[in-house]
Amino acid sequence: MDRTGSDAGLPPNTLAVEAPAKLNLCLRVLGRRDDGYHDLQTVVAPLSLADRLRVHAFADPGTFRTLSLSLDVTGEPALTRGVPLDETNLVIRAAAAMAEETGIRGFAEFGLDKRVPAAAGLGGGSSDAAAALGALNRLWGIDLPAGDLIRMGAAVGSDVPALLARRPVLAEGRGEAVTPIRLARLDWVVVTFAFGVSTAQAFGWWDEDGGPTGAEPTGLLDAAAGGEPEAIGPLLQNDLEGPVTARHPAVRDALDLLGAAGCAGVVMCGSGPSVAGLLPAGGIGCDAAEEGELERLSGRGPVRVSSPAG
Ligand code: C5P
């Protein structure tokens, strides 16, 4: 839930917002484009696991002649390691892109509390950027329409438009064409790994392997609206899963363990290496012993999360 300066005892011109992780119920890669990106059809759902972003910002062309941006990152060392603090961080890139396009002069100070692992396929950095755009749109008093935010977000990263929606969506093109979908609330077990996979690397492996391209998500979209985990589970699909598991067998092992633990379906998250198991109705499945096995395999305890209804 987002908190504003006025309703949460925060200083003036300050917002505290959540930046939810995501998973892809389906990630269908259609093919490589001339610009090096890949055309996709992907069903993206935000998760209850989220980074926290605090934004203190103000803009006034009469007062400020320059733009000043700063970022402080906190969190467990395992989560903050490798998160850039400079202008390459997607939060700063998003703020700079917005200021550039709107001619804003003023400042923005970001405090980012990391809870979502980086390079995990969970969209953490992209969601931070989406949250920054939403907060600055209010604090800088720009009030851009959603379409402009999506365009700016797409320039920062292909996952940003889907995460700006803050609800389940079908994303197409390179990720910028976003359509809201109906999805019931679902419960998941997510397994993360100590190593990361870069998005460019995963798509490069898909090119190297010559595919695959899975089925159209029509059946999944129907099942998603119905909300039965047992109907949705078998339709979960990710075309990057084969290329990534071929190079990282532990990811395949985690998917198999989740399946054996009674999940209604399993799928790799985005470009990996995180994997998710969809829990059957009632949230049962994956007992303590099975969680222990997953922890021994991945080096990290699995986390239970939900994707809210939308
Ligand atoms: O858009 P973003 O910067 O997140 O993408 C990182 C990399 O992932 C791109 O440079 C590209 O190699 C790959 N990618 C892709 N097709 C997409 C999204 C990302 O090939 N639709």
Side-chain angles (χ1 to χ4, degrees):
M1 177 172 315
D2 296 351
R3 298 177 298 143
T4 63
S6 54
D7 66 18
L10 293 167
N13 306 308
T14 304
L15 284 173
V17 294
E18 289 198 343
K22 58 84 183 162
L23 57 73
N24 306 69
L25 287 86
C26 146
L27 198 166
R28 182 167 185 247
V29 185
L30 305 179
R32 190 171 190 277
R33 317 185 327 180
D34 290 343
D35 63 5
Y37 284 92
H38 293 72
D39 277 319
L40 308 175
Q41 267 186 319
T42 180
V43 173
V44 184
L47 297 176
S48 51
L49 173 68
D51 288 340
R52 309 279 192 276
L53 184 68
R54 188 179 161 117
V55 189
H56 176 53
F58 186 64
D60 177 11
T63 313
F64 299 98
R65 294 175 55 198
T66 59
L67 173 72
S68 159
L69 303 174
S70 70
L71 171 68
D72 182 39
V73 179
T74 54
E76 287 177 28
L79 296 175
T80 57
R81 202 175 299 129
V83 175
L85 292 170
D86 60 10
E87 69 284 352
T88 62
N89 188 292
L90 295 188
V91 166
I92 298 292
R93 281 180 49 195
M98 183 176 243
E100 164 90 19
E101 184 158 328
T102 55
I104 280 290
R105 295 290 172 262
F107 70 87
E109 296 165 3
F110 299 98
L112 178 59
D113 178 14
K114 284 303 289 180
R115 303 185 181 203
V116 179
L122 295 170
S126 302
S127 191
D128 298 340
L133 288 175
L136 290 178
N137 200 33
R138 288 170 63 184
L139 292 171
W140 279 348
I142 318 175
D143 291 329
L144 290 173
D148 284 3
L149 290 182
I150 287 173
R151 188 175 40 74
M152 274 178 206
V156 174
S158 304
D159 276 341
V160 179
L163 288 157
L164 272 166
R166 300 182 83 93
R167 53 158 298 126
V169 294
L170 171 69
E172 297 176 283
R174 116 178 134 74
E176 79 287 3
V178 168
T179 315
I181 60 159
R182 279 190 55 216
L183 178 68
R185 182 204 140 102
L186 297 169
D187 294 306
W188 306 85
V189 177
V190 172
V191 179
T192 61
F193 290 85
F195 64 91
V197 169
S198 86
T199 310
Q201 208 172 28
F203 279 102
W205 292 336
W206 185 92
D207 291 339
E208 238 172 81
D209 294 358
T213 297
E216 286 188 28
T218 334
L220 173 67
L221 290 171
D222 287 344
E228 287 294 325
E230 285 73 12
I232 297 170
L235 300 171
L236 299 174
Q237 144 200 340
N238 183 339
D239 289 340
L240 297 175
E241 201 174 277
V244 172
T245 55
R247 276 94 181 164
H248 291 290
V251 177
R252 175 83 264 153
D253 294 344
L255 288 163
D256 291 345
L257 275 176
L258 283 169
C263 289
V266 298
V267 71
M268 190 178 76
C269 304
S271 51
S274 303
V275 294
L278 175 59
L279 290 169
I284 47 159
C286 201
D287 63 24
E290 289 157 340
E291 285 195 6
E293 259 189 88
L294 285 162
E295 182 163 1
R296 273 189 296 284
L297 173 72
S298 76
R300 293 186 178 181
V303 284
R304 282 170 185 264
V305 297
S306 61
S307 49

